[in-house]
Amino acid sequence: MPENKKEFEPKIVAFFCNWCTYLAADLAGTARIKHAPNARVIRVMCSGRVDPQFVMEAFAKGADGVLIGGCHPGDCHYQEGNYKALRRYTLLKRMLMDMGIEEERFRLEWISAAEAERLKWCVNDMVEKLKALGPLNVQVPTEDFAEEVQVA
Amino acid sequence: MSLEKKLPMGNGGPRIGVYVCHCGTNIAGTIDVEEVARYASELDGVEIARDYKYMCSDPGQELIKQDIRDNGLDRIIVASCSPSLHEKTFRDATAGGGVNPFYFQMVNIREHDSWVHTDIEAATAKAKDLIRAAVRRVKYHKALEIRRVPVHNEVLVVGGGIAGIHSALTLANAGKHVYLVEREPTIGGHMAKFDKTFPTLDCAACILTPKMTSVKAHPNITLWSMSEVTLVDGYVGNYEVTVKRHPRYILEDVCVGCLECIEGCVYKKGKVVDDFNLGLSSRKPIYIPFPQAVPQIPVIDPETCIEFKSGKCKKTCIEVCGDRNAIDLTQEETIEKIKVGTIILATGFKTFDPKRIPYYGYGTYPNVYTSLEVERLVNASGPTGGEVALRDGTKPKSVGIVHCVGSRDENTNKHCSRVCCMYSLKLAHLIREKTDAEVYNFYIDIRTPGKDFEEFYNRVAEEGVHFIRGKVADVFPAGDGNGQLILQAEDTLMGMVRKIPVDMVILGVGMEAQADAEDVRRTFNITCSGGGFFMERHPKLAPVNTFTDGIFLAGACQGPKDIPDTVAQAGAAASEALALIDAGHVELEPNTAYITEDDCSGCKTCVPLCPYTAITFLEDKQKAEINEVLCKGCGTCVAACPSGSINQNLFEDEEIFGEIEGVLAHA
């Protein structure tokens, strides 16, 4: 396949909670709300399930961006899992930025089951920003980095 | 088409079957399913990859079972629609083939792929990525047991409108105990305010009030009026509900409903705005909302009662009540805690407030009414005894009915409220019947989809009601001194602007979600659609279910609907609840977290994280322990455990890492 004539298409790993954002993505489907095909959704029960290591692993394995989607504050199906996600996100984001991973590459978004339009916007907006950034290019010795974040 | 691997089998690894569904053209129209199946067949561990027109059909499911039997498959992947639709179907098929259902994994290539993308190449590549992720994931799947928990017999019905009443009676007649919780002093809801119902014109009270009485009389129904649900705990089959019961200041079990206290009130006439009549009449501080209210017991409004305000009333009501002592001004709110297995939400709707559209002049011109106010005016038990009269008492000679007020409008609500066309036709008919007035309907489209609805429209049209296709753009005084208003609209059939002078304007207000729908949604842990109406699990296949198991929807809280549809849905919700109760138990997803004790360092990080206090710390062992019954499977503790000793069934770290690797691995 001739690679050169293709525009850079960022790969996004998206962790969506089962109750809000995953359903918003389903609703986008039933309402045929077209959006960029770059996100690969991994379903978790709650955004609070997203272990920071999942995010690290995604970047280590070649994701250009990671998107976490959860219920709006106060709306968590499990009361407060999204707050836990928010805390981890804030901390992890700082760490990733220290590593040279740009801010735009890691996002946490609150998207309710009714907000298919918002889901579309989030995905499209992220794709646009990642296209402007180009592929992830971390300036650290990747082998050591990969070894350190390697788990399981 | 089938692609079987030519490699010898039996190397000890998982034997995966991948099935790519066409879903007719829903998937196959945008994704090259044959190519995806071919690609899947080459992935590590995949024994068989097929594509098939409808995987959820009987032959589709049979295909899975047959392949399990013939080829010794032990992992099944179906790439089709959302797991919320058919995960259960395919788990059952997997189990039917003799493999533990939790060795199954679903890949969503319809809602998340073919339906939202147009580029066939990109959509196909995405499908391949997602299937590759599933292939890597299923390796780590474990055989799991479905958790079974018993279901309580009792049902909570929230809201005592026609939906709640019908659900409660259906369940009670089937021998189940129902708690019916209503926030107002009486049940009956909006329907109790209506005069006649379309298209049959039978009187609302005649069909509703007998049902209300049955609710009160039914031995299986506990009716709590003036009550609200404040807290819901637990899970399907085992909900613990806290209900706050506001004081009525009249003891329900003592009062006989003679209503003499109302007669005896120091106020000789009503002085307070009567909400039931939407402010078209007045009531006393001690009152009964309407003559057929259930329970047939007065209520004291502490906001307006002299005794509550100043403490200086002669309390003639108590005197009149005499020895019965049914009035207790010291009554306080009480809290009830109940255990129920299932919950039906029938919390209804509110009508659109037309003050939000200032040019219709509601609240500015006294002769602009909402349709609900006119329902009270035409009602024989309403404030005018069924006389259609303006505020000055005169009968209108011309009436304009404005359709789609707060419906099908970019600035307010985009949805169609479904009932306004029909009730506008009904009001047009009733007004002509009672006053001989000229009636002008201003409509965008006449929408009469329902049994005998179109026939009713034709009948009303033949009765001489005028129809003008055009949205009213302005309502202003005619300035002729007799209070007439001019309705200005562009008649899109005649292609000209028309100004019609009328004595009375009726705004056909639409239906909106209740003002506190958001709070109710949170209390019951369910989801809302756009506009605040509660979201059903599936618009076609699970229209009364919510995403929270054991909680069902009935009536207009789910979306605008008329009485026949509301009652149908209420019956459906009741039978869904019955099905759960009569099964005796429910099956829960085995997605609980568990601790590998040897790996637990005893750091206690997880303990305060759990919102359900499912994690306890065993002081003797210095290890944490998870109570599987209390765990709801959010996985927050799993993500937090620093030593990796906590894991979650169905969402194991390995499984998710497998997926991450899978979606990112290059083909």
Side-chain angles (χ1 to χ4, degrees):
Chain A
M1 197 186 317
E3 286 286 29
N4 51 354
K5 68 173 186 183
K6 277 200 157 180
E7 195 190 355
F8 162 61
E9 286 295 341
K11 271 202 170 179
I12 299 171
V13 175
F15 297 99
F16 286 172
C17 85
N18 183 60
W19 305 98
C20 288
T21 313
Y22 194 89
L23 294 180
D26 276 0
L27 178 62
T30 42
R32 310 297 197 278
I33 296 172
K34 310 287 181 200
H35 53 268
N38 304 57
R40 305 287 182 262
V41 177
I42 294 176
R43 185 170 67 107
V44 285
M45 292 310 285
C46 177
S47 53
R49 173 67 183 94
V50 180
D51 191 321
Q53 293 184 96
F54 296 167
V55 180
M56 304 289 273
E57 177 77 356
F59 282 122
K61 287 279 153 63
D64 299 297
V66 174
L67 171 63
I68 302 175
C71 307
H72 282 270
D75 285 0
C76 179
H77 189 81
Y78 303 103
Q79 297 181 18
E80 51 197 29
N82 52 356
Y83 292 123
K84 308 288 195 294
L86 176 62
R87 287 190 189 184
R88 287 180 197 133
Y89 166 79
T90 315
L91 198 62
L92 181 59
K93 182 157 199 155
R94 235 188 273 171
M95 212 173 107
L96 291 172
M97 283 164 72
D98 285 347
M99 289 171 154
I101 295 179
E102 297 90 340
E103 197 178 0
E104 294 85 349
R105 295 192 187 274
F106 181 37
R107 274 167 84 152
L108 171 65
E109 296 283 354
W110 310 134
I111 305 171
S112 86
E115 293 176 324
E117 281 290 345
R118 183 170 159 72
L119 178 111
K120 167 192 166 182
W121 177 83
C122 286
V123 171
N124 286 352
D125 184 64
M126 190 161 180
V127 169
E128 205 174 292
K129 288 187 170 134
L130 292 178
K131 277 187 178 170
L133 282 177
L136 177 67
N137 184 20
V138 182
Q139 297 299 322
V140 290
T142 38
E143 278 164 29
D144 299 352
F145 174 67
E147 215 165 272
E148 272 180 44
V149 296
Q150 187 65 271
V151 276
Chain B
M1 187 183 88
S2 145
L3 291 149
E4 287 183 38
K5 263 197 176 167
K6 301 291 174 278
L7 293 169
M9 294 184 288
N11 55 2
R15 302 170 62 81
I16 305 169
V18 178
Y19 300 84
V20 184
C21 181
H22 297 204
C23 195
T25 55
N26 280 306
I27 293 172
T30 320
I31 293 173
D32 183 346
V33 283
E34 289 178 19
E35 165 59 16
V36 172
R38 185 205 59 76
Y39 172 80
S41 72
E42 289 171 359
L43 294 171
D44 194 32
V46 176
E47 289 297 328
I48 290 181
R50 297 180 190 274
D51 60 278
Y52 186 71
K53 207 152 194 82
Y54 292 105
M55 278 311 296
C56 59
S57 67
D58 268 352
Q61 294 183 49
E62 198 45 50
L63 204 57
I64 296 174
K65 294 178 198 168
Q66 194 62 42
D67 281 347
I68 292 173
R69 285 193 285 269
D70 294 351
N71 299 283
L73 301 180
D74 57 10
R75 299 287 191 283
I76 301 297
I77 294 170
V78 176
S80 56
C81 48
S82 169
S84 66
L85 198 59
H86 276 312
E87 187 174 56
K88 173 127 185 20
T89 311
F90 296 123
R91 274 186 184 167
D92 290 349
T94 305
V99 171
N100 184 286
F102 298 98
Y103 282 132
F104 165 77
Q105 176 69 17
M106 190 140 184
V107 181
N108 185 343
I109 58 166
R110 194 179 73 170
E111 281 83 346
H112 287 193
D113 194 351
S114 67
W115 274 356
V116 288
H117 306 316
T118 42
D119 178 350
I120 292 180
E121 199 181 317
T124 305
K126 183 171 178 177
K128 287 180 183 175
D129 284 355
L130 294 173
I131 288 172
R132 195 168 57 231
V135 168
R136 301 223 179 170
R137 185 191 213 274
V138 288
K139 284 201 279 198
Y140 301 104
H141 278 211
K142 295 186 304 189
L144 297 168
E145 288 290 314
I146 281 179
R147 290 189 292 159
R148 288 186 166 208
V149 293
V151 178
H152 275 279
N153 257 330
E154 293 83 356
V155 185
L156 168 69
V157 177
V158 187
I162 182 60
I165 290 172
H166 188 76
S167 288
L169 284 173
T170 307
L171 286 159
N173 288 339
K176 311 301 171 200
H177 193 87
V178 179
Y179 294 93
L180 178 59
V181 174
E182 166 60 50
R183 140 164 92 182
E184 301 293 329
T186 175
I187 56 171
H190 276 99
M191 189 174 167
K193 296 180 180 171
F194 302 159
D195 179 39
K196 291 190 171 154
T197 55
F198 61 75
T200 46
L201 296 177
D202 41 356
C203 101
C206 313
I207 50 182
L208 178 68
T209 50
K211 283 180 94 91
M212 290 165 63
T213 318
S214 314
V215 165
K216 185 65 194 162
H218 209 296
N220 287 339
I221 299 180
T222 303
L223 169 62
W224 285 336
S225 56
M226 302 192 73
S227 304
E228 283 173 278
V229 174
T230 54
L231 193 68
V232 178
D233 242 331
Y235 50 92
V236 53
N238 300 272
Y239 286 109
E240 289 168 26
V241 181
T242 310
V243 180
K244 187 194 273 179
R245 303 198 60 199
H246 299 290
R248 182 184 276 271
Y249 304 108
I250 291 171
L251 304 174
E252 280 190 39
D253 42 358
V254 182
C255 173
V256 288
C258 67
L259 310 184
E260 280 180 28
C261 51
I262 302 178
E263 206 52 43
C265 177
V266 289
Y267 283 113
K268 289 301 154 220
K269 271 185 171 173
K271 276 197 77 172
V272 185
V273 170
D274 183 351
D275 293 332
F276 188 81
N277 282 329
L278 303 140
L280 295 170
S281 66
S282 322
R283 60 162 170 81
K284 297 178 180 181
I286 184 167
Y287 69 103
I288 187 158
F290 63 104
Q292 300 87 11
V294 170
Q296 184 72 356
I297 290 168
V299 51
I300 296 175
D301 168 17
E303 299 288 312
T304 50
C305 170
I306 297 178
E307 179 60 19
F308 279 90
K309 278 164 66 182
S310 67
K312 288 178 186 159
C313 183
K314 284 191 274 179
K315 291 181 268 194
T316 42
C317 53
I318 296 182
E319 264 172 48
V320 174
C321 194
D323 290 344
R324 197 153 272 285
N325 284 322
I327 301 179
D328 176 8
L329 299 177
T330 63
Q331 198 182 27
E332 284 179 359
E333 72 179 29
T334 53
I335 301 290
E336 304 273 358
K337 283 185 190 283
I338 50 172
K339 279 196 170 184
V340 296
T342 50
I343 297 172
I344 294 174
L345 287 177
T347 52
F349 65 98
K350 76 170 165 47
T351 51
F352 174 78
D353 175 9
K355 284 186 182 147
R356 284 169 59 193
I357 309 178
Y359 52 82
Y360 285 152
Y362 182 76
T364 310
Y365 310 123
N367 291 337
V368 179
Y369 292 81
T370 68
S371 48
L372 198 55
E373 287 168 344
V374 178
E375 289 282 352
R376 295 308 298 151
L377 287 183
V378 294
N379 194 313
S381 63
T384 55
E387 288 271 302
V388 179
L390 298 169
R391 288 187 211 265
D392 62 6
T394 57
K395 282 195 173 187
K397 293 188 185 65
S398 54
V399 176
I401 303 180
V402 183
H403 291 223
C404 296
V405 176
S407 307
R408 306 182 68 198
D409 180 353
E410 286 286 331
N411 300 314
T412 55
N413 294 308
K414 288 182 188 168
H415 66 254
C416 166
S417 293
R418 289 188 54 190
V419 295
C420 321
C421 280
M422 282 303 289
Y423 78 55
S424 295
L425 294 172
K426 174 193 77 180
L427 290 175
H429 167 84
L430 293 175
I431 288 167
R432 273 193 76 72
E433 191 178 71
K434 285 171 188 264
T435 64
D436 276 336
E438 291 299 326
V439 180
Y440 302 89
N441 273 276
F442 294 83
Y443 67 97
I444 308 176
D445 300 289
I446 292 287
R447 295 189 164 180
T448 54
K451 196 174 176 183
D452 295 333
F453 285 14
E454 185 69 11
E455 291 85 339
F456 185 73
Y457 167 44
N458 289 330
R459 173 181 163 191
V460 173
E462 281 163 17
E463 285 170 2
V465 170
H466 306 282
F467 289 91
I468 297 165
R469 201 183 84 178
K471 219 175 158 174
V472 172
D474 204 3
V475 176
F476 54 90
D480 56 354
N482 57 19
Q484 277 205 322
L485 293 164
I486 291 186
L487 290 170
Q488 181 177 314
E490 186 191 346
D491 186 328
T492 54
L493 292 178
M494 290 174 78
M496 58 186 282
V497 173
R498 294 180 72 179
K499 294 178 180 177
I500 312 264
V502 293
D503 297 320
M504 180 186 213
V505 175
I506 303 173
L507 302 178
V509 288
M511 291 163 93
E512 286 186 330
Q514 289 275 22
D516 60 350
E518 200 49 32
D519 300 332
V520 175
R521 176 180 74 74
R522 284 190 184 175
T523 305
F524 290 90
N525 205 356
I526 58 165
T527 352
C528 276
S529 325
F533 291 107
F534 299 146
M535 191 187 257
E536 65 287 339
R537 190 174 197 122
H538 190 276
K540 294 179 186 68
L541 302 178
V544 299
N545 302 61
T546 65
F547 284 97
T548 303
D549 288 336
I551 299 186
F552 305 101
L553 304 174
C557 63
Q558 180 260 343
K561 54 180 65 68
D562 60 12
I563 294 167
D565 284 3
T566 295
V567 171
Q569 212 185 25
S575 60
E576 290 281 353
L578 270 179
L580 266 184
I581 296 169
D582 283 352
H585 65 267
V586 277
E587 296 182 342
L588 299 183
E589 279 280 288
N591 58 6
T592 47
Y594 62 93
I595 296 182
T596 309
E597 209 179 87
D598 286 348
D599 296 340
C600 175
S601 66
C603 71
K604 302 187 194 174
T605 304
C606 54
V607 178
L609 282 180
C610 181
Y612 308 105
T613 58
I615 311 179
T616 43
F617 191 70
L618 305 173
E619 292 292 342
D620 52 338
K621 288 188 185 166
Q622 291 290 301
K623 306 276 184 192
E625 187 186 59
I626 295 176
N627 180 338
E628 207 196 33
V629 177
L630 295 178
C631 174
K632 293 200 185 180
C634 64
T636 297
C637 59
V638 191
C641 177
S643 56
S645 72
I646 311 185
N647 232 313
Q648 184 186 8
N649 289 320
L650 286 178
F651 295 90
E652 304 276 351
D653 280 347
E654 290 83 356
E655 294 170 356
I656 296 173
F657 281 126
E659 277 190 83
I660 297 169
E661 259 179 51
V663 290
L664 292 167
H666 292 288

